[in-house]
Amino acid sequence: MAANVGCCGGEEEPLTMGYMGAGRGSYIQETTYKFVGHTKGDFQINVQKKGMSKAVLAAIICGAILALLALAALIWFLIWSATTTTTMTFQCHTNDDALWSTVRREYCCANHGIACKVSDPFDCDAGLVNSVIGWSDSKRNWCCTNKQKGCSLNKAVHDYDCDAGLSNWEHGWSDSKKSWCCAHKDKGCTPKCLTENCDATCYH
């Protein structure tokens, strides 16, 4: 008997007759099998489905391979995108660096040596409350001159920072600071009086 075409393109086995027992089949055996009605004959058609055809199996395998290749390409693209950084350039030869962003400062410093932040030699906020006895003379002098911090007037240890404002001591220092610095640091001393009648402004 001719083969039947199954669902999804799969072929079925050729139809064969099988003996079912007296009165249990739909066919009787003559020269050929003849349909006589359900449960009227002695034979019944045995339908045996074949497995998936080679063409269908090959198509499924090819589709799976293509899907895996597409997934691998997508993963590679995502990794490449994550590791690729955008190169940014800035104009560094301008005079408005006070308004620059942090990114621009870092770029100009790294590539042109411009707008690089210079670190202070001292942290003038660290230990400020105990600056009189906790700071070194160099830190006290630098912070007082550059940050106006640590310029202590505590006479118990150091009355005055005699380096702070030294360039303008004659007009910027008080009389007491002039006297103390002249006596203890030999700085800010008023020249000796040219006559014996020295007034109170002569300290040496």
Side-chain angles (χ1 to χ4, degrees):
M1 299 181 72
N4 291 340
V5 178
C7 297
C8 302
E11 294 183 356
E12 298 180 349
E13 289 287 345
L15 301 180
T16 60
M17 288 291 181
Y19 183 72
M20 306 301 295
R24 294 186 176 183
S26 301
Y27 294 82
I28 60 175
Q29 187 174 17
E30 295 179 346
T31 304
T32 60
Y33 293 101
K34 179 182 179 181
F35 181 76
V36 294
H38 185 60
T39 69
K40 301 295 184 180
D42 301 328
F43 296 88
Q44 184 66 33
I45 297 174
N46 293 327
V47 179
Q48 297 179 352
K49 292 185 178 180
K50 292 179 64 177
M52 189 180 299
S53 67
K54 292 181 179 180
V56 175
L57 181 61
I60 293 176
I61 293 175
C62 290
I65 292 175
L66 291 175
L68 290 175
L69 290 175
L71 179 61
L74 176 61
I75 293 174
W76 177 85
F77 174 77
L78 293 175
I79 294 175
W80 176 82
S81 298
T83 55
T84 301
T85 57
T86 302
T87 302
M88 300 180 65
T89 58
F90 297 95
Q91 174 57 255
C92 300
H93 299 282
T94 61
N95 297 323
D96 59 343
D97 57 293
L99 304 176
W100 289 1
S101 65
T102 302
V103 176
R104 184 175 180 182
R105 285 180 177 276
E106 292 176 351
Y107 172 86
C108 291
C109 180
N111 294 276
H112 300 281
I114 297 174
C116 299
K117 182 179 179 181
V118 179
S119 300
D120 293 337
F122 300 102
D123 182 354
C124 297
D125 291 314
L128 179 60
V129 296
N130 194 38
S131 62
V132 173
I133 60 176
W135 285 7
S136 64
D137 289 340
S138 57
K139 179 175 181 178
R140 188 179 300 105
N141 294 340
W142 191 92
C143 289
C144 182
T145 302
N146 295 277
K147 301 293 184 178
Q148 291 74 52
K149 295 181 180 181
C151 305
S152 174
L153 300 180
N154 189 342
K155 297 183 180 182
V157 180
H158 290 293
D159 272 350
Y160 302 99
D161 181 352
C162 299
D163 290 311
L166 181 60
S167 61
N168 190 40
W169 67 271
E170 292 184 274
H171 301 287
W173 287 6
S174 64
D175 289 343
S176 58
K177 180 173 182 178
K178 292 176 182 178
S179 178
W180 193 92
C181 288
C182 182
H184 295 84
K185 300 293 183 177
D186 198 28
K187 295 180 180 180
C189 300
T190 300
K192 292 182 179 181
C193 297
L194 299 179
T195 65
E196 296 181 358
N197 297 323
C198 293
D199 56 27
T201 61
C202 294
Y203 300 103
H204 243 21

